[in-house]
């Protein structure tokens, strides 16, 4: 059953929460506390209203990293090309969710339920509080901690200073642990269960452990391993005792990609938690824009991360920098063909920015890479199916990757560990196994100086397996690799002007004309009788349809300027200036003013 027994009732929940500034201090009302929280149904309605899990937006959230370029605005992109301050970076300082959670925790015990159920509901609420606070820690590091609802006359609480990261994180993991100890395992499909809590706790533990290890400005390296050990232990439990397995029917060409375009993930062995959608009940929110012609488009750097099908490095090949589109897709990791529109890919979604159905010819446009995303792209026109798309929020693949990375960071990983983690993912893709003696190429080594070849390859595996699912930004931040975002994203490579084959059949599909030449009205047809697609190409700033890095050859230029990543300042955000004016005890850290 896809729908939760208790459907989110936003109208009722609105009584209990508010998004006002200054910690959302709103007096409780008799409606909100005396006439609610009395039955199990009340508690379920309230808890369901706290659900805020991601949907199809995950497929856009690698934008402005080294995985994807964007013509749109993002906070970090704007920061890197400007002079940001606490008066310009003002988002994120919202406390409505926390107030809602604490309000529940102060009132839920009015319900007449047995202790086991009461502990379950408390665990759910504390899970949400842990998620909220760890999100705040990732953004601000030190934040004021509150485990109660603030009243309007509580001056001491309202004027509180930031609590140290160590204190807040300790409270976060106390909440996670309580949730692990009490949230039920058996829950309806689409509801939070004990396994979901464990994955979120393991994810936070890996993040905190690696962040402390690599961010010397915190001075917390000595405590990093306790979080890495926590991530290892939790994922060991999930792997050894959970009912999950990598989805693998033996079809290396489709098993991976099918996870992201499925209208029924219910019962899928790999999916630990999904956002379920049903046509006429809840629309999936899916849109064709993720294909790569509206704001976001995948970057060549991600394409180059995929290994060859035989397990060797693509970037170890002589001249790889100038391989054309068809050549760079030859004999690669099968996950690559399930992530990007490859030469010869057939388009069945005729509504997409395309030439209609049939074999797709890569479309080129200014400020876009020319690569197109098919991971998460529904290659059908059935609107009912599209509206019913299920989103895999938590996959067992992530658990395996957390386990392998934590063990590698701790230095206790073995071949047996690789075989039960990384190599399960490679088996699904039909790729050779990773071994303890693996080497890494110069391209990967340059990204992550000072780590072992094995850890570098585990990071590559994570990048490939989780590509374009919204993980990359957090990964770069916790690895202290923000400088990688400075590189301007590159697109397809063209050796020169003239005719080019983009479908891999040896027959030209497009024509690149010089900037001073007009596109003819009578367009030439290729040997298949298909009209060639014409583009005027030139340098950035010229009045052309496609920018090339060398004007008449080179990479398609996706964006002109990425700016500068200010290290360590940009790993954090400032408290908005208007909040500091209200509470001067909220001092800025890490160079923000």
């Amino acid at each position: 059953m896809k729908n939760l027994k208790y459907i989110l009732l936003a109208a009722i929940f609105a009584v209990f929460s508010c998004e006002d500034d200054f910690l959302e201090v709103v007096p409780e009302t008799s409606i909100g506390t005396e006439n609610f929280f009395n039955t199990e149904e009340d508690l379920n309605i309230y808890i369901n209203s706290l659900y805020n899990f991601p949907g199809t937006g995950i497929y856009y959230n690698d934008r402005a990293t080294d995985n994807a370029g964007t013509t749109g605005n993002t906070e970090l992109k704007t920061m890197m090309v400007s002079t940001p301050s606490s008066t310009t970076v003002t988002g994120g300082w919202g406390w409505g969710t926390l107030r809602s959670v604490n309000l529940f925790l102060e009132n839920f015990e009015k319900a007449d339920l047995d202790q086991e159920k009461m502990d379950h509901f408390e665990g759910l609420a504390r899970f949400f509080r842990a998620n909220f606070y760890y999100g705040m820690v990732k953004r601000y590091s030190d934040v004021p901690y509150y485990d109660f609802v603030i009243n309007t006359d509580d001056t001491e609480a309202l004027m509180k200073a930031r609590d140290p990261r160590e204190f807040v994180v300790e409270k976060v993991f106390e909440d996670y642990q309580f949730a692990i100890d009490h949230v039920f395992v058996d829950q309806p499909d689409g509801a939070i269960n004990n396994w979901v809590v464990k994955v979120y706790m393991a994810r936070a533990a890996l993040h905190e452990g690696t962040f402390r290890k690599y961010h010397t400005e915190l001075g917390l390296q000595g405590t990093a391993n306790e979080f890495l050990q926590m991530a290892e232990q939790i994922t060991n439990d999930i792997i050894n005792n959970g009912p999950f397995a990598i989805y693998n029917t033996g079809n290396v060409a489709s098993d991976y990609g099918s996870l992201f375009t499925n209208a029924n993930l219910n019962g899928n062995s790999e999916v630990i938690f999904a956002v379920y959608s049903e046509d006429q009940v809840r629309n999936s929110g899916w849109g064709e824009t993720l294909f790569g012609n509206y704001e976001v488009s995948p970057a060549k750097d991600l394409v180059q991360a995929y290994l060859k099908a035989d397990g060797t490095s693509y970037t170890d090949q002589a001249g790889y920098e100038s391989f054309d589109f068809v050549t760079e897709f030859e004999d690669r990791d099968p996950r690559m063909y399930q992530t990007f529109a490859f030469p010869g890919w057939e388009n069945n979604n005729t509504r997409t920015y395309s030439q209609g159905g049939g074999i797709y010819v890569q479309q080129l446009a200014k400020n876009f890479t020319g690569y197109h995303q098919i991971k998460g792209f529904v290659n059908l026109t059935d609107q009912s199916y599209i509206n019913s798309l299920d989103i895999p929020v938590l996959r067992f693949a992530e658990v395996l990757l957390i386990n392998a990375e934590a063990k590698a960071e701790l230095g206790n990983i073995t071949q047996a560990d690789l075989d039960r983690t990384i190599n399960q993912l490679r088996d699904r893709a039909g790729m050779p196994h990773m071994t303890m003696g693996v080497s890494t190429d110069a391209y990967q080594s340059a990204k992550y100086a000072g780590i072992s070849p094995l850890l570098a390859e585990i990071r590559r595996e994570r990048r490939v397996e989780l590509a374009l699912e919204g993980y990359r930004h957090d990964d770069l931040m916790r690895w202290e690799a923000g400088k990688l975002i400075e590189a301007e994203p590159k697109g397809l490579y063209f050796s020169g002007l003239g005719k080019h084959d983009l479908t891999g059949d040896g027959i030209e599909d497009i024509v690149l004309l010089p900037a001073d030449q007009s596109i003819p009205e009578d367009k030439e047809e290729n040997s298949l009788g298909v009209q060639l697609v014409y583009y005027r190409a030139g340098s950035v700033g010229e009045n052309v349809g496609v920018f090339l890095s060398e004007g008449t050859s080179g990479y398609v230029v996706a964006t002109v300027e990425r700016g500068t990543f200010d290290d360590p300042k940009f790993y954090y955000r400032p408290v908005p200036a208007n909040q500091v004016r209200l509470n001067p005890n909220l001092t800025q850290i890490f160079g923000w003013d």
Side-chain angles (χ1 to χ4, degrees), residues 364 494 496-500 510-524 532-539 542-548 551-553:
L364 307 179
F494 290 98
L497 303 178
K499 300 176 183 177
H500 295 272
I510 70 167
V511 182
L512 297 182
L513 299 175
D516 60 358
Q517 190 171 330
S518 299
I519 295 175
E521 291 186 12
D522 295 325
K523 298 178 176 61
E524 182 181 346
L532 293 171
V533 181
Y534 287 74
Y535 299 93
R536 295 170 61 247
S539 300
E542 291 189 275
N543 182 23
V544 293
V546 178
F547 296 141
L548 296 179
T552 58
S553 66

Side-chain angles (χ1 to χ4, degrees), residues 21-22 85-88 90 93 158-159 575-588 593:
D21 287 338
F22 206 35
S85 70
S86 60
T87 60
T88 61
T90 58
W93 194 260
L158 291 171
M159 302 304 290
V575 177
N578 65 324
Q579 297 299 310
V580 176
R581 285 193 293 270
L582 291 169
N583 177 8
N585 293 317
L586 294 172
T587 55
Q588 304 291 3
D593 56 28

Side-chain angles (χ1 to χ4, degrees), residues 213-451:
K213 180 173 182 176
Y214 294 107
H215 285 266
T216 57
E217 71 274 8
L218 292 177
L220 298 174
Q221 295 98 313
T223 57
N225 279 2
E226 66 182 77
F227 293 96
L228 295 171
Q229 289 164 356
M230 188 187 302
E232 176 191 9
Q233 291 163 3
I234 296 169
T235 51
N236 277 339
D237 175 37
I238 299 170
I239 293 167
N240 295 332
N241 302 313
F244 310 107
I246 292 301
Y247 177 70
N248 186 356
T249 71
N251 191 335
V252 301
S254 63
D255 281 346
Y256 173 74
S258 69
L259 292 167
F260 312 104
T261 55
N262 201 315
N264 185 13
L265 289 173
N266 196 5
N268 186 290
S269 64
E270 183 170 342
V271 178
I272 298 173
F273 186 71
V275 171
Y276 295 115
S277 299
E278 286 190 4
D279 195 18
Q280 309 304 323
V281 178
R282 276 194 299 147
N283 188 294
S284 73
W286 185 89
E288 297 102 339
T289 55
L290 69 84
F291 187 64
N293 278 24
Y294 180 77
E295 289 196 358
V296 183
S297 58
K300 180 179 284 292
D301 193 81
L302 174 58
V303 172
Q304 292 175 332
Y306 290 77
L307 298 173
K308 299 278 288 181
D310 62 4
T312 60
S313 171
Y314 170 80
T315 57
D316 271 349
Q317 300 175 98
Y320 79 90
E321 301 95 333
S322 57
F323 285 171
D324 63 21
F325 177 64
V326 172
T327 303
E328 67 182 344
F329 273 80
E330 292 176 353
D331 301 319
R332 303 292 296 277
D333 183 331
R335 286 171 291 188
M336 185 167 161
Y337 310 116
Q338 296 164 72
T339 302
F340 307 98
F342 51 86
W345 176 72
E346 187 169 354
N347 177 33
N348 298 315
N349 189 332
T350 54
R351 301 181 310 172
T352 309
Y353 317 96
S354 68
Q355 305 88 356
I359 301 301
Y360 181 70
V361 178
Q362 297 295 118
Q363 288 182 285
L364 307 179
K366 287 188 294 187
N367 299 319
F368 291 88
T369 62
Y371 296 108
H372 292 89
Q373 178 178 342
I374 60 172
K375 184 176 185 178
F377 177 78
V378 182
N379 197 16
L380 300 168
T381 54
D382 185 339
Q383 191 62 48
S384 178
Y385 186 96
I386 289 171
N387 289 350
S388 302
L389 196 67
D390 293 344
I391 311 300
V393 176
L394 297 179
R395 295 197 286 127
F396 187 53
E398 182 188 356
V399 173
L400 301 183
L401 290 163
I402 291 173
N403 187 266
E405 185 180 346
K407 285 177 175 290
E409 289 283 7
L410 290 166
N412 62 15
I413 193 167
T414 67
Q415 185 61 49
D417 295 321
L418 289 176
D419 289 342
R420 73 171 189 161
T421 57
I422 299 298
N423 291 332
Q424 294 296 309
L425 306 178
R426 291 197 171 191
D427 283 344
R428 191 239 304 272
M431 289 289 289
H433 280 192
M434 183 183 292
T435 64
M436 290 292 293
V438 66
S439 60
T440 194
D441 55 51
Y443 191 82
Q444 185 78 347
S445 296
K447 290 181 176 296
Y448 313 114
I451 66 173

